[in-house]
Amino acid sequence: MKNKIVLACEKCSSRNYSTMSSKTADRLEVKKYCQTCNAHTVHKETK
């Protein structure tokens, strides 16, 4: 079963992206573009 998760920028904490992910113990970390920071930053899974 896949759950909807939200990805937040590590620098400015803005929630920019949402995606579907299977249930895992560790949190997802992806390098994506942040419009607020105007740069590619690490985005982490939030609740």
Side-chain angles (χ1 to χ4, degrees):
M1 186 168 122
K2 294 196 175 208
N3 296 330
K4 186 175 181 183
I5 59 169
V6 178
L7 299 175
C9 178
E10 192 174 62
K11 283 188 175 180
C12 67
S13 300
S14 64
R15 296 176 178 209
N16 299 324
Y17 297 97
S18 63
T19 186
M20 301 294 278
S21 175
S22 59
K23 193 119 185 168
T24 59
D26 53 336
R27 293 196 173 200
L28 183 66
E29 288 187 9
V30 183
K31 193 168 187 179
K32 289 194 162 278
Y33 180 77
C34 178
Q35 293 178 347
T36 309
C37 298
N38 199 24
H40 285 84
T41 59
V42 176
H43 285 67
K44 290 187 177 181
E45 178 182 343
T46 61
K47 290 199 174 197

